[in-house]
Amino acid sequence: MIRKILKRVNISKNKKNVAKISTGTMLGQLISLITLPVLTRIYGAEIFGIWALIHSLSLIINSFSDFGLSYSLMVEKDNKIPKGYKIISTISLFISLLSSLILTLFYVFMNEDIMVSYSIFFVLIFLTSFLSQQVQICYTWLNRKEEYDVLMKNPILNQSIYSVVGIMLGFLGFVQYGFFIAHILGSFVTLINMKSKLPKGLVTFDFKEIYLYIRENRKFALYQTPTNFSNNLKSQTPTLLINSLWGSEVLGYYSITIRILKIPVTLLGQAIGRVFFQVVTKMKRQGEEIGEYVLNNIFKAMKVSVLPIILLVAFGDIVTVLFLGEEWVVAGHFVMILAFQYFFMFLQSSVQGLAITIEKQKYAMIANLLQVIGIIVSLIVGKYLFDSIYLALILMVILFTIIHISYFCVLFKVMKVNRLSYVIKVVINSLIIILTSFILRNIFNYIFN
């Protein structure tokens, strides 16, 4: 069965496509790693915290600004894709604009100290949300068209522009806004790179066509929108709560932690996931069973991710301080705690779009909502019962892990795949990570202390 599937999906071609995206991502991450110590020293934890808040709000807007229709480009008929692209872009433009205005008015009403003027806050949220949604829409299009040469360049362009402009503006004295401008320019250049391979035009004012397209793809609007919203709410709830409970400086430490931990996920997990999504949707259209292929993909992701996660759990604080300086030691402690969670996030990233492919977005939505509740409970208990951000994050990781494993067990049941083999593998690998990192750290402490 497995041999038959592997033969049909042409694994050698898939590996080549993963390699293309991974190469671009690797070079982009290398640029980010080289320049991050400079950027952290120029702008400091507070500026990173403010940007984390803006970026977080933008991602939440993105979860519904396309009405969940972006992924319809992966399953739509070829002749309908150009029209779909303009319609989705138009919806995204107006929803991003309206949502950014509402969020800004909310912060005005709450009289929140956001460290920048409210007008600048509005502009930053709108540009960040709209540009990042456009990048995602273009990614979906080019992924379907297998334009991996174009996708390979994106991380390099994004990180190069962001890093160079950020450092230049910082040295010129634009410490308050230089960091934000650099991020937006990076997204804009990335979008221009992709637009050359997409249809001309961006928006349409044919409201009848917009209505008909939404109606034809209403299953995405009905199921994918709440799933996207719950997924982004899950990932951004820590940012919003940490900002409220512990302030922008602690949020800055958390933001840097996420940047560091996202490197293995971005470097390889997303590359595998994008190719995986293209393959499984193709298999699904051809009426093939995908369960064994999915399980195999997760097992491969486990093998790839175990060693980096062990090193991060064991030596995350040491590496962070050496890399960013003594003032970032809190971020180093965060890295050690949250690295275990990112093991599971890497696995999930490697099977991107699985719930969409098997049309079980409601399960993803339920899992996301449970994780949001877990995050809220963890951070509130950590703050008001223990007054410790560290204990709050440990509790958050434990609840996240339990919900994540349960969610994938449900998906494997739907695909009629043996769940026990998945559970055994994930438990064994989790124990390997915990025990090995504990042993390595104690050996290190014994030798050097």
Side-chain angles (χ1 to χ4, degrees):
M1 178 67 179
I2 296 176
R3 287 182 180 178
K4 185 179 179 182
I5 292 173
L6 296 180
K7 184 177 179 181
R8 289 190 181 185
V9 297
N10 190 358
I11 288 299
S12 61
K13 181 182 178 182
N14 295 338
K15 286 183 178 179
K16 183 178 179 181
N17 291 335
V18 169
K20 284 183 180 180
I21 299 178
S22 297
T23 300
T25 305
M26 181 174 63
L27 292 173
Q29 290 300 316
L30 182 61
I31 294 168
S32 177
L33 280 173
I34 292 170
T35 56
L36 186 59
V38 182
L39 290 166
T40 53
R41 285 167 171 81
I42 291 174
Y43 294 103
E46 196 166 74
I47 293 294
F48 274 84
I50 297 167
W51 174 253
L53 175 63
I54 292 168
H55 184 62
S56 178
L57 294 172
S58 300
L59 287 177
I60 291 174
I61 292 173
N62 286 352
S63 63
F64 57 82
S65 66
D66 65 340
F67 285 171
L69 297 173
S70 293
Y71 285 118
S72 68
L73 297 176
M74 285 296 291
V75 297
E76 190 62 272
K77 294 179 180 178
D78 288 337
N79 62 329
K80 292 185 178 181
I81 296 180
K83 179 180 69 176
Y85 166 71
K86 290 183 181 180
I87 289 172
I88 297 169
S89 296
T90 303
I91 294 170
S92 173
L93 175 63
F94 287 104
I95 297 298
S96 297
L97 189 62
L98 180 61
S99 300
S100 300
L101 179 60
I102 291 172
L103 279 172
T104 303
L105 291 175
F106 171 79
Y107 276 88
V108 171
F109 178 75
M110 297 298 294
N111 197 28
E112 288 275 350
D113 183 13
I114 52 178
M115 308 299 291
V116 295
S117 69
Y118 290 118
S119 58
I120 294 295
F121 189 67
F122 163 72
V123 171
L124 288 173
I125 295 176
F126 168 65
L127 289 178
T128 306
S129 59
F130 178 67
L131 287 174
S132 58
Q133 186 66 274
Q134 271 295 297
V135 167
Q136 180 58 47
I137 294 169
C138 294
Y139 255 116
T140 306
W141 171 293
L142 295 173
N143 192 20
R144 170 166 175 156
K145 296 295 183 181
E146 300 184 45
E147 294 282 355
Y148 296 112
D149 289 331
V150 178
L151 297 182
M152 180 179 67
K153 299 174 185 176
N154 285 341
I156 303 171
L157 288 171
N158 194 338
Q159 292 297 332
S160 297
I161 297 297
Y162 149 66
S163 300
V164 172
V165 173
I167 291 171
M168 286 177 59
L169 291 177
F171 281 135
L172 290 172
F174 298 98
V175 176
Q176 186 174 20
Y177 297 118
F179 191 68
F180 311 142
I181 294 169
H183 268 289
I184 290 170
L185 280 177
S187 296
F188 182 73
V189 173
T190 302
L191 180 61
I192 295 299
N193 175 54
M194 291 189 286
K195 275 290 290 178
S196 62
K197 293 289 183 178
L198 270 74
K200 293 181 179 179
L202 183 65
V203 298
T204 177
F205 295 99
D206 190 334
F207 296 106
K208 183 179 178 181
E209 285 289 344
I210 294 175
Y211 168 75
L212 290 174
Y213 191 85
I214 294 174
R215 192 176 72 174
E216 289 173 7
N217 294 277
R218 58 185 175 274
K219 65 179 180 181
F220 288 95
L222 291 173
Y223 298 116
Q224 195 56 43
T225 301
T227 301
N228 287 346
F229 179 76
S230 62
N231 189 44
N232 277 342
L233 186 63
K234 173 191 71 177
S235 61
Q236 302 311 315
T237 295
T239 297
L240 300 176
L241 274 181
I242 289 172
N243 184 67
S244 298
L245 297 174
W246 279 281
S248 59
E249 185 175 356
V250 174
L251 178 57
Y253 295 134
Y254 178 81
S255 172
I256 283 295
T257 300
I258 301 306
R259 282 192 179 219
I260 293 170
L261 292 175
K262 274 187 175 180
I263 291 172
V265 176
T266 306
L267 183 61
L268 192 56
Q270 288 184 4
I272 295 172
R274 288 192 181 106
V275 176
F276 168 87
F277 193 21
Q278 186 270 327
V279 170
V280 292
T281 51
K282 183 178 179 180
M283 291 174 66
K284 189 73 173 177
R285 289 195 299 266
Q286 294 174 349
E288 298 181 24
E289 296 293 330
I290 66 171
E292 292 295 334
Y293 177 70
V294 173
L295 188 63
N296 219 28
N297 221 61
I298 287 181
F299 288 167
K300 289 178 180 177
M302 287 183 190
K303 292 179 182 178
V304 170
S305 58
V306 165
L307 181 58
I309 298 300
I310 286 173
L311 296 175
L312 286 170
V313 173
F315 307 113
D317 58 336
I318 297 171
V319 173
T320 303
V321 169
L322 287 174
F323 190 53
L324 302 180
E326 287 287 345
E327 64 271 25
W328 292 91
V329 66
V330 175
H333 295 149
F334 288 0
V335 169
M336 296 177 71
I337 296 169
L338 294 173
F340 187 71
Q341 177 178 322
Y342 270 77
F343 168 65
F344 293 95
M345 294 181 72
F346 182 89
L347 301 184
Q348 186 163 342
S349 180
S350 70
V351 289
Q352 176 182 315
L354 176 58
I356 299 168
T357 305
I358 63 176
E359 299 181 354
K360 294 298 178 184
Q361 295 98 320
K362 63 181 179 180
Y363 293 155
M365 181 182 66
I366 292 169
N368 289 336
L369 290 175
L370 288 173
Q371 286 176 343
V372 169
I373 294 170
I375 290 166
I376 293 172
V377 169
S378 301
L379 293 176
I380 290 177
V381 167
K383 175 64 177 180
Y384 295 108
L385 194 59
F386 301 107
D387 194 24
S388 170
I389 183 65
Y390 298 118
L391 288 176
L393 294 179
I394 289 170
L395 181 57
M396 186 176 77
V397 170
I398 292 171
L399 294 178
F400 178 92
T401 302
I402 294 169
I403 296 168
H404 176 95
I405 293 174
S406 302
Y407 166 64
F408 270 90
C409 284
V410 172
L411 292 188
F412 283 123
K413 181 180 179 181
V414 171
M415 293 183 288
K416 299 178 181 178
V417 173
N418 183 8
R419 291 167 289 171
L420 185 59
S421 60
Y422 162 73
V423 173
I424 291 172
K425 279 273 191 180
V426 81
V427 169
I428 289 174
N429 279 277
S430 297
L431 290 174
I432 289 172
I433 290 170
I434 294 169
L435 294 175
T436 307
S437 59
F438 177 78
I439 292 168
L440 287 176
R441 184 54 184 257
N442 277 278
I443 291 173
F444 178 87
N445 289 340
Y446 178 77
I447 294 173
F448 292 98
N449 290 334

